[in-house]
Amino acid sequence: MTLEDTGLRPEPAAAPRRRAAGDPVKALLHRHRDLCERAVDPLEIAAGLEAHGITDRTAARFRHRDVFSLAEELYARTPRGETRAVPTPAGAVTPAALRGFGLALLPGAVALGAVAARVPWAGAVAVAVTVAALVWPGRTAGGRFPGLLHLLAAAAVGWAVHRHGPALGVALALAVAPAHLAAAAFAARARRGLAGSRVLEDFAAGVRPLLLLTAAGFTAAAAGAATLAAAPLAPAVPLAALLFVTRLLLAHGAHRAPVAAALAVALVPVPAAPLAAAAGLLVHAVFALSRASAHARP
């Protein structure tokens, strides 16, 4: 006896409805389609999901153990064209990397040349090239030029150079090259850490000591630059650290309000102001740069 003989009919529409209800990832894919389509690898999707507030606990609702596993499924299920851009391996020495390091050497050379030539406005030259080199990376990360931050940084450094002499400007200009190298090394190692992580909390726990170690290494380099330029260490090192952390935050797309506040604090006419500003901004960076979304490719 068949279903037709009993007068009963199959319900073909029930199965598709059950599949749709049982496929929560499909709705998530539709909601974040732009993110998934432009991602070069699952890590980009994981970072983007985290930026939208999706945590490992949230991923369990989509039947995944963590955000990384969820991102892998989204990446696999996203329709793509035949040609895809191959991402450059983290830390690879490319022509752009060499060109960037060459440009990082220019501020020190320009500042040294201006001082050696006894140019009356040597201090102003050192301030301009230093601030431009350290704050400029925020232009590509933030989508528009951070003019207010640039002006605040120039004011803080200019005020310090006015008080302590052009040697301080030279010290900060010489610190641009190690700042460039330290920032690139931090970004590459953080990216490798993201690739090896399976839980967002584990990634954050690994990035925090990396950031502190990077900041400590750059601080030592800044002290060396100040010694080489015969500049006073007390104002030179905190200011260099403040500009370095500013560079890191802007390059990784962090919010600019805390950066502006720290630069404003550095303008206070108190000897300890630059140190307080640098320490406060570093604390903020520990939290802001420990997020996976801070290390997605621009």
Side-chain angles (χ1 to χ4, degrees):
M1 180 180 295
T2 65
L3 287 175
E4 288 76 5
D5 295 334
T6 61
L8 299 176
R9 294 182 179 274
E11 299 181 3
R17 282 199 297 269
R18 282 196 298 270
R19 283 196 298 270
D23 188 10
V25 177
K26 184 176 182 180
L28 188 68
L29 176 61
H30 179 73
R31 192 180 315 148
H32 300 285
R33 179 170 295 278
D34 290 341
L35 167 67
C36 297
E37 288 180 346
R38 69 171 180 265
V40 298
D41 56 35
L43 298 181
E44 297 297 328
I45 299 178
L49 293 178
E50 187 220 28
H52 284 87
I54 296 178
T55 64
D56 291 328
R57 182 175 298 180
T58 310
R61 302 178 193 170
F62 299 95
R63 303 174 183 175
H64 282 272
R65 64 184 180 277
D66 52 46
V67 173
F68 292 91
S69 175
L70 175 60
E72 287 171 351
E73 179 177 349
L74 289 172
Y75 184 79
R77 293 177 61 172
T78 300
R80 305 180 188 281
E82 295 182 359
T83 59
R84 293 286 297 169
V86 178
T88 303
V93 179
T94 62
L98 293 175
R99 183 168 58 252
F101 180 65
L103 292 175
L105 293 172
L106 284 180
V110 171
L112 281 174
V115 171
R118 299 185 183 276
V119 176
W121 29 269
V125 170
V127 171
V129 296
T130 300
V131 173
L134 289 179
V135 182
W136 186 268
R139 181 177 189 179
T140 56
R144 51 192 165 87
F145 184 74
L148 175 61
L149 298 184
H150 199 158
L151 291 176
L152 285 172
V157 177
W159 170 242
V161 170
H162 173 73
R163 293 178 60 195
H164 300 282
L168 176 59
V170 174
L172 296 176
L174 290 174
V176 171
H180 177 85
L181 293 176
F186 170 74
R189 293 188 64 180
R191 181 74 186 178
R192 286 197 296 269
L194 181 61
S197 298
R198 299 305 306 174
V199 181
L200 292 175
E201 289 78 3
D202 290 345
F203 170 74
V207 168
R208 288 170 189 145
L210 173 62
L211 173 61
L212 295 176
L213 183 62
T214 301
F218 171 75
T219 301
T227 302
L228 182 64
L233 292 176
V237 174
L239 273 174
L242 175 62
L243 292 177
F244 175 64
V245 179
T246 295
R247 176 194 181 101
L248 285 181
L249 288 169
L250 292 181
H252 289 273
H255 293 295
R256 293 170 182 165
V259 180
L263 292 172
V265 168
L267 279 168
V268 176
V270 175
L275 179 59
L281 194 59
L282 179 60
V283 171
H284 169 70
V286 167
F287 294 96
L289 299 182
S290 62
R291 293 174 56 86
S293 54
H295 303 280
R297 297 180 188 276

